[in-house]
Amino acid sequence: MIDIILDHYNYWIVIFLMMSGFYTVISQGNLIKKIAGINIFQTSVFLLYISIGYVDDGTPPIIAEGYTTYANPLPHVLILTAIVVGVSTTALGLALVIRIKEAYSTIEEDEIHDKDKSL
Amino acid sequence: MIDTLIDITLLAFLTITAIAIIRINNLFVIIMLFGIFSLHSAGLFVVMDAADVAFTEAAVGAGIATVLMLGTLALTREHEEKKVAHRTRLPLLVVLITTIALVYGTYDIPSFGDPAAPAQQHVKPRYIDHSIEETGVANTVTAVLASYRGYDTLGEVTVIFTAGIGVMLLIGGRLLRRNRREDDE
Amino acid sequence: MKHNLILRVIAKYLFPVIALFAFYVQFHGDYGPGGGFQAGVILSVAFIFYALVFGLETTEQVLPPYLLRLLASTGILIYAGTGVATMLMGGNFLDYDLLAKNPVAGQHLGIMMIELGVGISVCAVMLLIFFVIAGRGRS
């Protein structure tokens, strides 16, 4: 029983974080909060990849004498670049939020819809 | 053993932070919690032997992303407190169904840290065994990033560059034009 | 924050340390954890920290936006240029083996070059985004 939990604990928490990010995106009306939700979703995907690359009793994948077990370097490479790409796309989203604020003078989704309808 | 304990504790912290982010409505607090969330996940990356990733996450997530969000908050702050309306029923249902499907899926995933998992069997031994003689670089992550998957990284850098151009196009210009039009009217 | 003495003094001493660490991460990435992405981000964090304490105008005197735009494109140009150089030498795109006499030295040189390109580009783009968002309220 405890083995099953320990074997899957990481994945379950990753799913929980993923879903809390998802929930924030679809249930909240505030655009900045939505972006924070997207970022949580994104970080949970990073955690999923790194969890898959982990090996018991391994070391970081830097080749050195005396070590034979290394973590899988491939997920690290993918996630390393994904993090930096993620922050630039987040910045793009934030820029859109700023433009929306200037055009509609609000960042609440419902109010933006109301203003669109009243046009 | 100690690794597992740290792993469990940090993941629990992440969970608590995520719940707090959902429940709190003050945007400043949310952004600060997001910075804490990133820092915790960076710690988790260190525990899971991903030193390079932890580096990046600590500098990007807890540093730059938080600063950018604070900057946006300063530009979009609303002065009066608003009653925030949000729907809960339908999103909760959708999220619950997705969660059940995903948790069902985890039973087919090899257990955490299993050396016999398919992810550890292919490509990886090739990189670990031959990267040092082929590239002379001890850090396999750098070797894969820059040499084996150079095309990939070129694409990523281009994406970053394009996102930068997008931000500049959206809000890089001054507010001059609209102000001038208002003056004319 | 212009009147906070402690922050100003600490920022002055921390800035060179962070910048030096960024260069260490950049050029030691072959042997330890690190590389272009991390170094670029850390260097830009150093400048962002400076800008937060001393103000945007002061930082833009050192790094004017046109210079950052130039650097952002230079980084990608170095990266793609390395690939084109290897093509001109008769190999495939980004085939570093040909850059030096023996393949391992060539790989080393190639990796160094493109990490440098990545570092410059990432640092410049991050700073550009920060300056644009932080400078929006002014003007």
Side-chain angles (χ1 to χ4, degrees):
Chain A
M1 183 61 201
I2 194 93
D3 275 351
I4 293 181
I5 293 180
L6 279 183
D7 284 350
H8 292 93
Y9 182 72
N10 266 50
Y11 300 123
W12 289 341
I13 296 285
V14 162
I15 289 171
F16 178 81
L17 295 176
M18 221 181 252
M19 287 305 116
S20 48
F22 185 37
Y23 178 77
T24 316
V25 174
I26 60 180
S27 74
Q28 307 285 333
N30 188 295
L31 294 178
I32 292 188
K33 203 167 173 186
K34 271 177 197 281
I35 287 186
I38 293 175
N39 270 305
I40 289 177
F41 198 123
Q42 193 183 339
T43 310
S44 71
V45 175
F46 301 160
L47 284 172
L48 176 68
Y49 268 68
I50 302 297
S51 300
I52 290 174
Y54 178 78
V55 191
D56 284 332
D57 306 320
T59 58
I62 297 167
I63 311 289
E65 272 178 46
Y67 296 98
T68 47
T69 320
Y70 297 101
N72 192 343
L74 194 55
H76 296 186
V77 174
L78 299 179
I79 296 314
L80 177 58
T81 50
I83 289 176
V84 185
V85 169
V87 75
S88 11
T89 46
T90 302
L92 197 61
L94 291 172
L96 279 170
V97 172
I98 293 173
R99 288 291 292 125
I100 288 173
K101 167 77 178 178
E102 284 167 5
Y104 290 86
S105 65
T106 176
I107 51 168
E108 295 289 335
E109 203 181 23
D110 298 343
E111 293 171 20
I112 296 170
H113 280 302
D114 291 346
K115 289 204 172 172
D116 269 346
K117 271 189 201 131
S118 63
L119 280 180
Chain B
M1 189 58 212
I2 190 79
D3 275 12
T4 320
L5 275 182
I6 297 174
D7 186 65
I8 289 174
T9 319
L10 280 175
L11 282 170
F13 278 148
L14 283 180
T15 318
I16 295 167
T17 321
I19 294 173
I21 290 178
I22 293 180
R23 294 194 60 84
I24 289 173
N25 278 327
N26 184 334
L27 287 178
F28 181 74
V29 178
I30 289 176
I31 293 170
M32 281 309 161
L33 280 175
F34 174 69
I36 293 171
F37 185 87
S38 293
L39 201 60
H40 278 151
S41 57
L44 206 51
F45 290 145
V46 176
V47 178
M48 292 197 277
D49 293 336
D52 291 86
V53 183
F55 241 118
T56 324
E57 177 70 31
V60 166
I64 294 182
T66 313
V67 169
L68 291 182
M69 282 190 174
L70 283 178
T72 314
L73 183 65
L75 288 176
T76 59
R77 185 173 11 224
E78 316 213 325
H79 291 289
E80 73 273 33
E81 275 294 306
K82 276 189 183 150
K83 183 83 192 77
V84 220
H86 45 207
R87 303 157 294 279
T88 48
R89 289 268 172 75
L90 188 63
L92 205 59
L93 189 71
V94 172
V95 162
L96 274 179
I97 293 173
T98 323
T99 310
I100 291 168
L102 286 174
V103 169
Y104 176 69
T106 56
Y107 284 99
D108 279 344
I109 290 188
S111 57
F112 177 64
D114 183 5
Q120 312 289 350
Q121 297 305 317
H122 299 283
V123 204
K124 176 198 168 192
R126 174 71 174 66
Y127 287 148
I128 298 286
D129 296 342
H130 298 283
S131 73
I132 196 127
E133 70 202 44
E134 280 175 354
T135 63
V137 169
N139 185 354
T140 322
V141 175
T142 303
V144 176
L145 179 97
S147 183
Y148 292 104
R149 286 176 184 254
Y151 280 139
D152 203 348
T153 312
L154 179 58
E156 310 268 17
V157 179
T158 318
V159 171
I160 294 165
F161 183 65
T162 317
I165 292 177
V167 172
M168 276 192 285
L169 283 176
L170 277 170
I171 57 170
R174 298 263 161 74
L175 285 164
L176 286 179
R177 199 178 302 151
R178 202 189 332 149
N179 291 347
R180 200 179 296 145
R181 202 185 302 149
E182 278 164 11
D183 289 347
D184 291 346
E185 283 163 6
Chain C
M1 273 184 243
K2 281 188 178 158
H3 305 291
N4 197 328
L5 182 69
I6 295 174
L7 262 181
R8 288 171 71 96
V9 172
I10 294 220
K12 254 181 208 158
Y13 284 107
L14 264 185
F15 177 79
V17 178
I18 302 177
L20 192 65
F21 182 60
F23 287 117
Y24 167 76
V25 169
Q26 169 85 50
F27 293 110
H28 201 260
D30 296 2
Y31 307 104
F37 282 98
Q38 295 93 320
V41 169
I42 292 173
L43 190 60
S44 67
V45 164
F47 281 107
I48 289 176
F49 178 49
Y50 191 85
L52 285 177
V53 177
F54 291 96
L56 273 184
E57 288 81 8
T58 330
T59 320
E60 278 180 351
Q61 282 171 2
V62 186
L63 283 174
Y66 74 86
L67 184 69
L68 285 176
R69 272 176 238 151
L70 200 70
L71 283 177
S73 18
T74 314
I76 293 194
L77 211 61
I78 291 176
Y79 198 136
T82 313
V84 174
T86 55
M87 273 170 88
L88 290 179
M89 291 163 114
N92 292 321
F93 189 66
L94 293 175
D95 183 3
Y96 311 132
D97 288 1
L98 302 162
L99 285 175
K101 291 247 165 54
N102 65 335
V104 171
Q107 288 280 345
H108 221 107
L109 189 63
I111 289 175
M112 195 97 139
M113 290 294 288
I114 71 148
E115 290 277 16
L116 193 65
V118 169
I120 293 173
S121 210
V122 167
C123 175
V125 170
M126 290 297 144
L127 280 173
L128 267 178
I129 292 174
F130 170 74
F131 280 165
V132 165
I133 289 185
R136 184 65 171 173
R138 302 177 304 175
S139 81

